[in-house]
Amino acid sequence: MRYHVNGQQHEKPSHRTPREPWLGYARVAREVLGGGLTIDTLPDNMTHLVEDAGRYYSWRSFGPDDQRTNELWVDLNDLEHGQVRMHGILSNTHRQAAKVALSFDFPFYGHYLRQITIATGGFIFMGEVTHRMLTATQYIAPLMANFDPSFSKESIVQYLDNGEVFVVQWERVRLHGREAEGAYTFQAALHLTGTITFSYRDIPLPVEVISSAEHQVKAGLSDAFMVNLQSPQSSDAQRRLYEYHRVDIDTTKITNNSAFEFTALPTCLQHDSCELCLSSNLTSGCTWCNILQRRPCHGE
């Protein structure tokens, strides 16, 4: 389930144009320069093990009869939301990912990010160090699966960024090898406030019957921290990626016209002084590092 990652490209306006051949764009993903990358993830089917349940996000699900479901769906055909861009590469390839810059600082697990990586497989990679195993951790995944936009001219991967919300929509994408079983349309929205929403319009099959033999199938959030390890046998530093928190949502609730809303909770990382860190009523258990002049991150 390895992905090729492309650097930031110039995208096209969101009107469908004739399909373009993929010309073998240079892959910028690599294990790690001068060394290897090891990824340690939490056990399967276990949600937020290392940290307590309410540390980073609270979340709710909404079904077809809930008004909130319609409120969370961002209609990309409504020009009032801003300019929508169709990503030409992602809309015409399989197992491809591309970096996209955000117009605002998005807080993910308390860390502010200005660049994300959109994948054809129904997820957004949130890590700063790209590698070929993007499905392992550090993701926002409304529905991670083996989608192949290159199968149909109707399949589109497009996004919107209006300064307050960044929306990625996988529209009429089909599962590789199971194209005849229907097209999926869903989206993920990253809000300036840190709120994350998943919205599903067309889900032709229950998620439980989607095969994970050739591609991981996940829905939820995940983050990890990087540790540089110096090997006594080598001068090259080894990097190890540890998944410290994951939210696996109930995939039985992913149906036509359904949604999930994740609300970001206050974290220690928002404090930028020793006084705020120690006196905050919003967070507990924070410490302050005078050397770093901030609250230490995981692994430091």
Side-chain angles (χ1 to χ4, degrees):
M1 62 192 76
R2 294 183 174 182
Y3 272 78
H4 288 178
V5 181
N6 284 273
Q8 192 171 336
Q9 302 287 335
H10 296 289
E11 294 79 23
K12 302 176 181 179
S14 184
H15 53 77
R16 199 52 169 162
T17 57
R19 303 187 72 78
E20 303 170 356
W22 182 50
L23 301 179
Y25 293 87
R27 179 176 60 82
V28 300
R30 48 189 175 273
E31 294 296 324
V32 165
L33 285 175
L37 173 64
T38 303
I39 303 175
D40 291 340
T41 59
L42 297 174
D44 290 340
N45 301 320
M46 303 295 284
T47 303
H48 40 254
L49 285 184
V50 177
E51 300 289 347
D52 58 285
R55 188 67 182 268
Y56 297 103
Y57 292 93
S58 62
W59 60 92
R60 295 181 61 191
S61 63
F62 304 94
D65 298 327
D66 293 314
Q67 180 180 351
R68 188 62 175 158
T69 300
N70 292 327
E71 293 173 350
L72 293 178
W73 180 263
V74 181
D75 184 2
L76 297 189
N77 294 319
D78 187 349
L79 297 180
E80 292 183 0
H81 291 303
Q83 184 179 11
V84 178
R85 295 186 178 275
M86 182 192 75
H87 200 289
I89 297 175
L90 298 182
S91 297
N92 290 275
T93 52
H94 178 222
R95 289 191 184 179
Q96 193 81 9
K99 296 181 179 181
V100 175
L102 304 177
S103 67
F104 57 91
D105 294 322
F106 175 70
F108 183 61
Y109 279 90
H111 299 272
Y112 286 92
L113 303 177
R114 256 302 174 88
Q115 180 174 264
I116 52 87
T117 303
I118 303 172
T120 55
F123 68 98
I124 305 171
F125 177 69
M126 305 299 289
E128 295 182 358
V129 178
T130 56
H131 47 80
R132 288 178 290 177
M133 300 297 290
L134 300 186
T135 60
T137 183
Q138 293 182 298
Y139 56 74
I140 293 176
L143 182 52
M144 181 191 294
N146 196 14
F147 294 111
D148 183 2
S150 69
F151 174 79
S152 171
K153 293 181 179 180
E154 295 183 345
S155 298
I156 302 173
V157 179
Q158 55 187 343
Y159 67 91
L160 159 77
D161 186 347
N162 64 13
E164 295 184 357
V165 62
F166 180 89
V167 183
V168 182
Q169 182 165 303
W170 293 264
E171 184 172 342
R172 298 188 295 274
V173 294
R174 295 174 183 265
L175 290 169
H176 182 72
R178 304 180 67 174
E179 292 85 358
E181 296 179 347
Y184 294 72
T185 295
F186 56 93
Q187 61 182 215
L190 285 56
H191 295 260
L192 179 64
T193 59
T195 295
I196 301 168
T197 61
F198 298 163
S199 295
Y200 307 90
R201 183 55 54 91
D202 298 313
I203 304 295
L205 294 175
V207 177
E208 295 73 43
V209 304
I210 300 177
S211 174
S212 59
E214 296 182 352
H215 191 291
Q216 293 193 40
V217 178
K218 301 179 183 179
L221 312 176
S222 170
D223 197 24
F225 62 87
M226 184 81 71
V227 176
N228 293 322
L229 303 174
Q230 191 67 40
S231 172
Q233 290 81 24
S234 172
S235 59
D236 294 331
Q238 302 294 311
R239 293 187 175 184
R240 201 175 191 98
L241 195 62
Y242 291 92
E243 182 182 38
Y244 66 89
H245 191 274
R246 186 169 75 231
V247 176
D248 295 324
I249 63 177
D250 183 356
T251 55
T252 63
K253 295 183 178 180
I254 299 178
T255 62
N256 293 339
N257 300 312
S258 63
F260 285 81
E261 183 174 21
F262 302 85
T263 302
L265 301 176
T267 69
C268 295
L269 292 175
Q270 71 188 50
H271 306 313
D272 56 8
S273 72
C274 178
E275 291 74 18
L276 289 176
C277 180
L278 299 178
S279 64
S280 174
N281 294 323
L282 298 176
T283 57
S284 61
C286 293
T287 58
W288 183 261
C289 180
N290 286 323
I291 296 177
L292 297 175
Q293 282 299 296
R294 61 175 169 82
R295 187 262 187 189
C297 298
H298 293 278
E300 291 181 332

